[in-house]
Amino acid sequence: MSRLPLITGADPAHSLDALFVNAPLRDYDQRPRTNDYTLPVLGMAYIATYAQYAGFNVGVLDAEALGLGITETAKIVNVAAPRWTAMNLLAPTYEMSARIAAQLDPDIALMAGGHHAKAMPDRILADPRMANLRALVLGEGELRVAALLEDEQRRRELPGVVWRDRLLGTRVTGITSDPERAAAMLGPDINALPYVDRRFLPQDPYRAVPTEADRRLAASRGTALLGEAAVSGHVEANIVGSRGCPYNCTFCGAAVSANPDLTIRVRTPENIIGELDSLHTEFGVTAFRFVDDLFLGVGRVIEEQMAAFTRHRVGERYVWDATGRINVLDRVSDAELDRLVRNGLREVALGVESGSDRVLKAMDKRIDAEMTERVTRRLTEHGIGVKAYFILGFPGESHDDLQATVRHIHNLWAIADTNPGDVRASVFEFRPYPGTPVWTTLTDAGHAPDTLLAYGDVDLTEDGADESMRARDEFNFSVGIQFGDVPLTKIRSTLATLTRDQHQRNRTALGGAA
């Protein structure tokens, strides 16, 4: 059992208005988890924080971070006896959530949201395990969840809230006649939301182990902050700088076509810097990771943010990592890259996805392999690390496409070997998500939704990637379908080999055994 507290953020002296439950990725009663760390549930913490500011006593039960099984999670909820239990429904963990819901006390009202709720609301409402589901909140939930906690009957006037009439068995949707009110509820002003209360996040902020990126930065930039971090590691925190994505990558749940109701919004630089400083004052945080869909994804936004970062001397005090867009960074000048470095940029996470231009076109990535190598070379020359994400087994992928991706990864590693910035490759097996463009393509081609939703965890240790797979439990999922020309056994052995090679590069760079 983890040493982390079970229910976080709540006032134990008073009854719970709501308990937000993050379901485990698998039933840890059957096989214990191996992760030391899992990503914090920032979206859930945002909603819990807003509900707390509205005067409600709420808590978070992060069953994944705690390594809890299905039965144990349900038991904790039942003992806590909240008025409401709230769940974030994601396709890979939906079965875990539904099994927990089936074991909850019928006196506890259930609300749910998340990508899966938005993509398949009728399927969820019809699931007998979700019999006590009283509100399905589609889209951003802060304002509407607080309204539900105030009075369940308000759901009739809340846009994007659906439920099933218990007598008629029909679907009911909340409505409002005020378009401005509806827009405000569905897309709240993110600059007006309170900063996330970190008491809801048992693993964030955290003390990070020094990485090769930290050591390279200390050697190339030479600041006291980086020198200390290269020895003892930064205290790090995850943060969201924007909501929404303007691109339409066919496999992604954030694709603009999958979220036509979502208004893309960016927090003001002053609002972001205010949270950075707050986290530094309270927890001693000196490193931040922007985990929104695309922080460095629009040229004018990069310019606005970096001008403010310069004014506030952010780079003298902090380092930070961010998501970025390859075709946007390809247009950034050397002078702008220098400014990003001076402002503390440590690493950019890039959705490279493939080394095959044919597959990249099918993904609607708007990049090619040559552009990725060019951008990676320029970033690493400036001392900026690259976290490169790849997908193996995309629909229609051939043996040649797979080999192009393997060569591409080795090319990126070779670029890093001659530059101060590092390259880390993170490789995943393709899995379809409902609501995405490729999901429609697959179902139109005859794949049944039930088979596309049959997510299962994959144990890659038999391919020799045992220790190298540590901290990747949350990513090793599959629906067990061969979508291209390459057999799944080949996909998985390639994935394991690349992951093992990356792990070996990390160990060698940090002075571990070769």
Side-chain angles (χ1 to χ4, degrees):
M1 172 62 65
S2 170
R3 295 179 182 176
L4 297 172
L6 298 181
I7 296 175
T8 56
D11 180 354
H14 297 87
S15 60
L16 275 172
D17 292 299
L19 180 55
F20 295 86
V21 178
N22 182 43
L25 292 163
R26 61 177 61 87
D27 189 349
Y28 293 119
D29 289 336
Q30 305 301 316
R31 177 161 69 89
R33 62 173 298 179
T34 59
N35 277 5
D36 294 320
Y37 176 78
T38 189
L39 292 174
V41 286
L42 275 173
M44 184 172 281
Y46 257 111
I47 298 172
T49 299
Y50 189 84
Q52 180 190 67
Y53 271 70
F56 299 103
N57 185 30
V58 300
V60 170
L61 176 62
D62 190 344
E64 170 57 25
L66 293 162
L68 301 176
I70 300 301
T71 299
E72 189 173 9
T73 301
K75 180 179 179 181
I76 293 169
V77 177
N78 288 332
V79 170
R83 285 197 296 122
W84 287 87
T85 294
M87 290 183 169
N88 179 35
L89 303 181
L90 304 173
T93 59
Y94 177 75
E95 280 300 305
M96 302 295 104
S97 297
R99 288 166 59 190
I100 292 169
Q103 296 185 38
L104 296 184
D105 189 315
D107 290 334
I108 300 174
L110 177 63
M111 71 172 76
H115 280 296
H116 196 61
K118 190 174 185 180
M120 310 193 87
D122 289 316
R123 186 184 182 98
I124 295 166
L125 289 170
D127 189 334
R129 297 170 296 181
M130 293 286 184
N132 209 34
L133 182 62
R134 309 260 274 273
L136 201 58
V137 182
L138 310 184
E140 299 174 45
E142 285 90 352
L143 276 64
R144 290 173 296 159
V145 167
L148 285 167
L149 294 181
E150 181 181 347
D151 181 2
E152 181 182 340
Q153 296 307 311
R154 289 191 61 186
R155 63 185 178 175
R156 297 188 174 277
E157 60 186 54
L158 299 177
V161 173
V162 300
W163 65 97
R164 187 164 296 281
D165 186 289
R166 293 189 176 188
L167 295 178
L168 300 178
T170 57
R171 169 176 164 169
V172 186
T173 303
I175 57 173
T176 176
S177 58
D178 184 344
E180 290 188 6
R181 180 173 179 271
M185 284 205 154
L186 293 171
D189 179 359
I190 56 176
N191 290 297
L193 296 175
Y195 297 150
V196 170
D197 188 332
R198 301 284 158 162
R199 288 177 298 176
F200 292 117
L201 300 173
Q203 291 179 291
D204 193 274
Y206 61 98
R207 171 73 69 176
V209 176
T211 65
E212 170 62 6
D214 291 321
R215 297 191 182 191
R216 289 194 184 202
L217 277 178
S220 64
R221 303 185 191 178
T223 69
L225 169 64
L226 294 175
E228 180 181 348
V231 176
S232 60
H234 286 282
V235 176
E236 302 199 4
N238 290 270
I239 187 172
V240 174
S242 64
R243 293 188 182 182
C245 178
Y247 292 95
N248 203 44
C249 300
T250 60
F251 55 85
C252 184
V256 66
S257 65
N259 301 279
D261 59 321
L262 180 61
T263 303
I264 298 170
R265 286 148 294 149
V266 181
R267 292 171 61 186
T268 65
E270 287 72 21
N271 186 264
I272 291 173
I273 295 168
E275 185 169 14
L276 304 187
D277 291 343
S278 174
L279 287 167
H280 176 67
T281 299
E282 186 172 358
F283 301 104
V285 177
T286 55
F288 300 90
R289 181 184 183 193
F290 288 91
V291 295
D292 33 319
D293 295 315
L294 209 55
F295 186 66
L296 300 177
V298 179
R300 62 173 178 79
V301 174
I302 296 174
E303 166 61 31
E304 180 184 8
Q305 298 288 353
M306 290 308 101
F309 276 34
T310 298
R311 288 196 306 272
H312 291 272
R313 302 168 66 181
V314 168
E316 297 178 26
R317 300 180 289 137
Y318 311 130
V319 295
W320 48 278
D321 308 332
T323 48
R325 181 78 188 185
I326 293 168
N327 57 327
V328 172
L329 292 172
D330 191 43
R331 299 191 294 268
V332 170
S333 68
D334 284 338
E336 289 173 306
L337 288 178
D338 286 336
R339 181 162 69 162
L340 285 165
V341 170
R342 289 195 302 271
N343 280 319
L345 177 59
R346 178 175 61 174
E347 184 179 73
V348 180
L350 300 176
V352 181
E353 315 307 357
S354 177
S356 163
D357 290 347
R358 190 183 72 85
V359 172
L360 289 169
K361 184 176 181 180
M363 292 176 169
D364 197 12
K365 285 296 298 180
R366 306 185 192 183
I367 62 173
D368 56 37
E370 181 181 0
M371 182 187 293
T372 294
E373 292 185 14
R374 182 168 63 245
V375 168
T376 298
R377 181 172 290 105
R378 294 183 63 223
L379 289 171
T380 56
E381 284 175 349
H382 284 77
I384 300 169
V386 171
K387 179 72 176 294
Y389 291 96
F390 295 88
I391 297 172
L392 306 184
F394 192 76
E397 184 179 64
S398 68
H399 288 272
D400 288 344
D401 294 326
L402 178 63
Q403 288 308 306
T405 296
V406 173
R407 287 194 302 272
H408 192 40
I409 291 172
H410 282 273
N411 289 345
L412 299 181
W413 282 335
I415 289 170
D417 289 341
T418 59
N419 286 303
D422 194 20
V423 170
R424 297 189 294 145
S426 195
V427 190
F428 310 101
E429 179 182 332
F430 169 76
R431 52 185 181 258
Y433 293 119
T436 61
V438 76
W439 177 275
T440 301
T441 301
L442 292 171
T443 53
D444 287 348
H447 287 279
D450 283 346
T451 62
L452 296 179
L453 289 170
Y455 297 95
D457 60 295
V458 179
D459 184 1
L460 295 173
T461 57
E462 64 184 25
D463 291 298
D466 43 14
E467 180 60 25
S468 63
M469 300 312 296
R470 195 172 188 85
R472 283 181 52 101
D473 269 11
E474 61 192 294
F475 304 118
N476 297 332
F477 279 86
S478 172
V479 295
I481 299 174
Q482 179 181 324
F483 292 104
D485 295 340
V486 186
L488 286 180
T489 52
K490 177 63 174 178
I491 292 292
R492 291 172 184 171
S493 65
T494 303
L495 191 159
T497 297
L498 291 169
T499 302
R500 185 173 58 246
D501 289 349
Q502 179 62 68
H503 181 69
Q504 186 63 38
R505 286 176 60 85
N506 296 344
R507 293 180 63 196
T508 301
L510 291 171

